[in-house]
Amino acid sequence: MFSLPAEFEQFHWMVDMVQHVDVGLVVLDKDYNIHVWNGFMIHHSGKQAHEAIGKNIFEIFPEIPQEWFNAKAKPVFELGCRSFLIWRQRPYLFKCRNVRPITQQAPFMYQNVTLNPMTSPKGDVDYLFMSVEDATAEAIAEERGMNK
């Protein structure tokens, strides 16, 4: 029976997890070109990987205010620290359709996004990765609580 080396098997598992995790994962370089676009982003944004990878995020998503996003990404690239975009400040980064059940109607997916530095072996931060969480249920619950 053919056996794969453990490292290859683990690499395969990692790729599978990145594609199927219930969180959006996007990798950007300093010019804001997209290098990774996982299954969550494909499903929720409606943009296939070949439509996003290699493209500039502002071209694909013109609704993202460039100056505002640059200000959020700057400390990630320059200081190597995280930056957070929460739905209370801005309901979403990527205008994605809401895929929640009918009981949780919303015109779009509310999102919490974390911008994380990706440090090279030399200690440079040439890329960042974003984790995009669906915060729609939380937002709807909070809005319902405020409107009572």
Side-chain angles (χ1 to χ4, degrees), residues 21-57:
V21 69
D22 199 27
V23 172
L25 297 174
V26 180
V27 173
L28 300 177
D29 62 26
K30 287 183 175 181
D31 294 323
Y32 303 106
N33 296 313
I34 300 168
H35 291 265
V36 171
W37 191 255
N38 78 336
F40 178 97
M41 295 305 296
I42 292 167
H43 175 70
H44 292 285
S45 74
K47 308 258 189 243
Q48 295 298 314
H50 71 272
E51 296 175 272
I53 294 175
K55 307 284 187 345
N56 187 279
I57 194 169

Side-chain angles (χ1 to χ4, degrees), residues 1 26-28 34 69 93 99 107 124 131 141 148:
M1 182 174 180
V26 180
V27 173
L28 300 177
I34 300 168
F69 189 79
L93 179 63
V99 295
D124 299 324
S131 56
K148 288 186 176 183

Side-chain angles (χ1 to χ4, degrees), residues 8-23 25 38-40:
F8 181 79
E9 188 173 31
Q10 288 178 347
F11 175 76
H12 177 75
W13 288 344
M14 293 296 290
V15 170
D16 196 41
M17 285 188 290
V18 164
Q19 286 305 320
H20 295 98
V21 69
D22 199 27
V23 172
L25 297 174
N38 78 336
F40 178 97

